[in-house]
Amino acid sequence: MPSTIAAVQAVAPSAYLDASADASAPAAPAGTNGPAFAAQLAGAVDNAQALSSESKTLAIQAVTGDLNDVHQATIASTRASLTLELVAAVRNKGVDAFNEIMRMQA
């Protein structure tokens, strides 16, 4: 029986941060200065909130029977979860870096 499964393509972590990004296009490198990093992090948090809101809306539609394709709710939930995990990991690394810098100054 021939396999009809397509090859799995790698997805850059930035694809989870920006829902409107084209997954096939390479992400532009982020700036190395403070304001650019802060803007990227704020955008990631805003996107995580938007994905969470979309996930909740689709979950409500699935429970009430208004959703035709339950896969949409599952995918939205997974995207929201992965985005939140990624934002939390970046935040934790930032806090760790800050604490290390403070330790070096003491």
Side-chain angles (χ1 to χ4, degrees), residues 25-47:
T32 56
N33 56 5
F37 177 75
Q40 287 286 330
L41 194 57
V45 170
D46 290 342
N47 191 26

Side-chain angles (χ1 to χ4, degrees), residues 25-105:
T32 56
N33 56 5
F37 177 75
Q40 287 286 330
L41 194 57
V45 170
D46 290 342
N47 191 26
Q49 290 175 340
L51 288 172
S52 177
S53 176
E54 177 187 0
S55 173
K56 288 178 185 176
T57 302
L58 289 173
I60 290 170
Q61 288 177 357
V63 170
T64 59
D66 296 334
L67 187 64
N68 293 334
D69 188 9
V70 179
H71 293 84
Q72 290 176 342
T74 305
I75 291 169
S77 175
T78 303
R79 285 187 69 193
S81 175
L82 286 174
T83 302
L84 183 60
E85 288 179 25
L86 181 61
V87 169
V90 170
R91 181 211 53 198
N92 291 343
K93 287 294 184 179
V95 169
D96 290 344
F98 174 80
N99 288 335
E100 185 66 27
I101 289 170
M102 293 320 243
R103 212 181 345 243
M104 289 180 355
Q105 289 181 354

